[in-house]
Amino acid sequence: MDSVLKAWGRLTNRSPVLAFVDWCLRGIGQVMFQDNPLTGAIFLAAIAWGSIAAGAPAVLIGGVVAVVAATLAALWLRVDGAALRSGLFGYNAVLVGLALPTFLPAGRLLWLYVLLGAVVSVVATRATAEAGKPFAVAALTFPFVLVTWLMLLASHGFSAVSAPLAVEPAVLPIAESNPLDAIAFLGAVLKSISQVFLKASFVAAILFVIGLAVNSVAAALFAVAGAIVAVAFAHLFGAESELVTGGLFGFSPVLTAVALGTVFYRPSGRVALYALVGTLFTVVAQAATNAALAPIGIPSLTAPFVLTTWLFLLPRQSFETGKG
Amino acid sequence: MDSVLKAWGRLTNRSPVLAFVDWCLRGIGQVMFQDNPLTGAIFLAAIAWGSIAAGAPAVLIGGVVAVVAATLAALWLRVDGAALRSGLFGYNAVLVGLALPTFLPAGRLLWLYVLLGAVVSVVATRATAEAGKPFAVAALTFPFVLVTWLMLLASHGFSAVSAPLAVEPAVLPIAESNPLDAIAFLGAVLKSISQVFLKASFVAAILFVIGLAVNSVAAALFAVAGAIVAVAFAHLFGAESELVTGGLFGFSPVLTAVALGTVFYRPSGRVALYALVGTLFTVVAQAATNAALAPIGIPSLTAPFVLTTWLFLLPRQSFETGKG
Amino acid sequence: MDSVLKAWGRLTNRSPVLAFVDWCLRGIGQVMFQDNPLTGAIFLAAIAWGSIAAGAPAVLIGGVVAVVAATLAALWLRVDGAALRSGLFGYNAVLVGLALPTFLPAGRLLWLYVLLGAVVSVVATRATAEAGKPFAVAALTFPFVLVTWLMLLASHGFSAVSAPLAVEPAVLPIAESNPLDAIAFLGAVLKSISQVFLKASFVAAILFVIGLAVNSVAAALFAVAGAIVAVAFAHLFGAESELVTGGLFGFSPVLTAVALGTVFYRPSGRVALYALVGTLFTVVAQAATNAALAPIGIPSLTAPFVLTTWLFLLPRQSFETGKG
């Protein structure tokens, strides 16, 4: 693995085009915090599989177009070079590019919409980083959530990009919870991982776990553990079974588990317990945002992850030093 | 009074268990900004009376369980000792523990829910304190509002803790305002004070005023004055009489009056007038949050107090120096 | 023009009353970022024309009462003198004073409501300025949006100021887009400018452009260009024609174009392109807030401008230096 990455590093040093590809791949990897082009490439394969298997190639195209457009826009905006080379201006754009064609009907203007969203995601990434500085918190996927929420909400008012039979804004119905057998449980866990990239696919899920593991075994373990904890907790509290088995209660908790357990805190038993509480509360936040957003007809995206992780990251300094 | 507190102080110095009780009682007192275990004990008596008289002992139990759990969690999280000993990690938890059993049906999983809420309220208290640092504003009851809103919203999606006949999310109906005689007015004022702890009880209200007075006569006066001003203003503008007489337009203004008039600014005529404007605007904010939250079926809690008091506290430095 | 301003300056130096008038006029000019009493006077004439032509003199009176009350309140609160003399404590109040009588029925208590709103707008302006300091962003019209949203929402609960036949809170209907001829396009552009002051009037629009031009030709040009871009983009994406021709898709983008293109960044080709992206995204934000606010029955006001401009201003330092 290391030798593959070294050979790739030599290639990117010689070719600006390959360097650009490298930044884009790292951008895809950064959706799950991995600054590694191989992880990004495996994630891209998972996205491709998930999109094509679901008969929605526009989703794959949207993701690729968006990360390329965002990286170009970041160059034009003369962003910080190190951040750009680590893919930090790409991961929000990838998600915008996957989300818009997932929720909106295909069409010529959709691509203009994706391009605008990708460019604005770069501005929003810098704005969020700037706003987070006094609090020493990372932007996470807030720029993706903000831009995509606005563009999906706006689609209600733009007939050129609005779905003719879009999901009706409505008050959330009472949850219907059914028993969950071992197979359904495993499916729910895997789909929780693939839903980070808005996919409900077992094959994609396995590719995502492999992609994580090639860069960080700890991240892969926390992703799987986060998914198991989230599915069990959601089911215990009687969450709608269709949402649980579709992975829709688990993708934000997966991100919280990886972020709190392996990225922002030095791993320890105490940190693992802290990450567990954060992961459980992300499930609560998921159910909460589902209910809050139902009347305006937009999905939660990764807002439950962003909200909970910010909450658990803000006290970082005092958590680590035991002061404050 | 002082000798009672001194004797209690000697006891808590000798016994870690009594010290822990002291922190919890101060936590209850801090709901209305009073760092005094006697105030906390009187408040606890008021909560007990209100809960048992209303046939809802689960509310009392919830409050006690939550403050104990939060204080233990704060110890585990190694928070700042001085803040812990002043009850600053308990008051949000008490409110979470009172609110969840008030709005959700009893049941085994409710207690797990209360425990999770209490622990997360500690994380949220630290996070809010950290986020407020650059602006020199206190956390107030924001952690309580945030955690409880999320958990109540989430209950819509969790059949194990959702009320079978929960209040339907709905557009707010037009207010119906009826004449208010002196007795009804007095009742509205008293209930405005007891509703700070989610109770509609005259006896509890009188206990709360006594509890305030043993630590700060000014706080007791501003609480009563805030309630009078709020009830009068809400009635003048034709607010729904049932809400006004139930104290539901007055509890946030009571907190604003105490906070602006006696806690965060040095008392003066100018400060009293400033606190008056803040108290009036809290009534507006109460009506506003009622309307904004109606479609998603959650109560305003003390959000109107938090919002208005932050607005009136942010300019503190310039207000006091006359610069800026 | 300059000699007129100089003569006026001599008069205001001698008379405290005229000085006070000067601060109020500058407050009106600052709605579109112009610190110039002549601009303010022309804007006031435009407001007067628009209000009286529409048979709504209460709107004009509301605006004048609010700016006077806010300036007096700012004096009492001992705000920073330079900011006061530049009209920075007046522009939010003017807008509050125009908005409340626009959306609420006339009546004695409405005037008390306007006075409260004007005074609180001063507190909110200081609070927003204080909150924005760590991020080096200006308050923009956020205080107006916050205070007016709360007061309009609250009116649902106050029968003394609520409209008997207020617009029903509802889910937004699907947009209906019709062809737009040149005359309709021009009308949409002009009304987009006058809607900054909540007016749909050609004459007022022309006066607003003149008022801008006497202080800054660049501002006038960016206002017109912003309106053109916004109307074209909204129409291209199939926005509801009635809203587009009424100027309701263009007023926030007009403010974004002026703010990003002429006020906060040093003009350049790169800045113009950046302002263009910001202006386009403000149209998206307008459609988004329309949809998000429909269920609670309040208008977007200038929230799309505030949100987008903050997003594009936060990275200012790194945008200008090319670092970060």
Side-chain angles (χ1 to χ4, degrees), chain C residues 123-186:
Chain C
V123 176
T125 298
R126 289 176 109 188
T128 312
E130 207 63 45
K133 258 185 203 167
F135 315 108
V137 294
L140 304 180
T141 52
F142 177 75
F144 152 62
V145 172
L146 177 69
V147 170
T148 307
W149 271 355
L150 289 173
M151 299 193 94
L152 291 180
L153 275 171
S155 75
H156 294 330
F158 292 150
S159 58
V161 288
S162 63
L165 288 170
V167 177
E168 277 298 297
V171 168
L172 213 65
I174 295 295
E176 263 188 60
S177 179
N178 307 312
L180 215 63
D181 63 19
I183 298 294
F185 190 90
L186 181 67

Side-chain angles (χ1 to χ4, degrees), chain C residues 70-84:
Chain C
T71 308
L72 288 171
L75 283 171
W76 175 66
L77 287 165
R78 300 179 207 153
V79 301
D80 176 61
L84 177 68

Side-chain angles (χ1 to χ4, degrees), chain A residues 28 40-64 94 98 194 197-199 201 203-205 207-208:
Chain A
I28 299 173
I42 298 172
F43 283 6
L44 181 58
I47 294 168
W49 176 278
S51 301
I52 291 161
V59 171
L60 168 64
I61 300 168
V64 173
V94 177
L98 296 176
S194 68
F197 289 85
L198 298 100
K199 302 272 158 289
S201 157
V203 176
L207 285 171
F208 286 126

Side-chain angles (χ1 to χ4, degrees), chain B residues 90-112:
Chain B
Y91 69 97
N92 282 292
V94 177
L95 291 170
V96 171
L98 296 176
L100 293 180
T102 297
F103 297 110
L104 301 180
R108 224 164 20 129
L109 282 172
L110 177 64
W111 300 111
L112 186 54

Side-chain angles (χ1 to χ4, degrees), chain B residues 134-135 171-177 233-234 236-240 249 269-271 273-274 277 280-281 283-285 287-289 291-293 295 307 310-312 314-320 322-324, chain C residues 76-81 89 109-110 112-113 116-117 119-120 123-124 126-128 130-135 142 146-147 149-151 153-164 168-170 295-296:
Chain B
F135 315 108
V171 168
L172 214 64
I174 295 294
E176 262 188 62
S177 178
F233 183 85
L236 174 69
F237 273 83
E240 178 80 34
F249 261 103
R270 191 160 164 260
V271 161
L273 189 50
Y274 191 67
V277 177
L280 294 179
F281 199 69
V283 180
V284 172
T289 49
L293 299 174
L307 176 64
W310 275 349
L311 214 54
F312 280 70
L314 272 166
R316 179 153 52 148
Q317 215 193 339
S318 51
F319 180 86
E320 283 174 344
K323 301 253 163 75
Chain C
W76 175 66
L77 287 165
R78 300 179 207 153
V79 301
D80 176 61
F89 285 99
L109 282 172
L110 176 64
L112 186 53
Y113 215 53
L116 181 62
V119 172
V120 174
V123 176
R126 289 176 109 188
T128 312
E130 207 63 45
K133 258 185 203 167
F135 315 108
F142 177 75
L146 177 69
V147 170
W149 271 355
L150 289 173
M151 299 193 94
L153 275 171
S155 75
H156 294 330
F158 292 150
S159 58
V161 288
S162 63
E168 277 298 297
I296 52 173

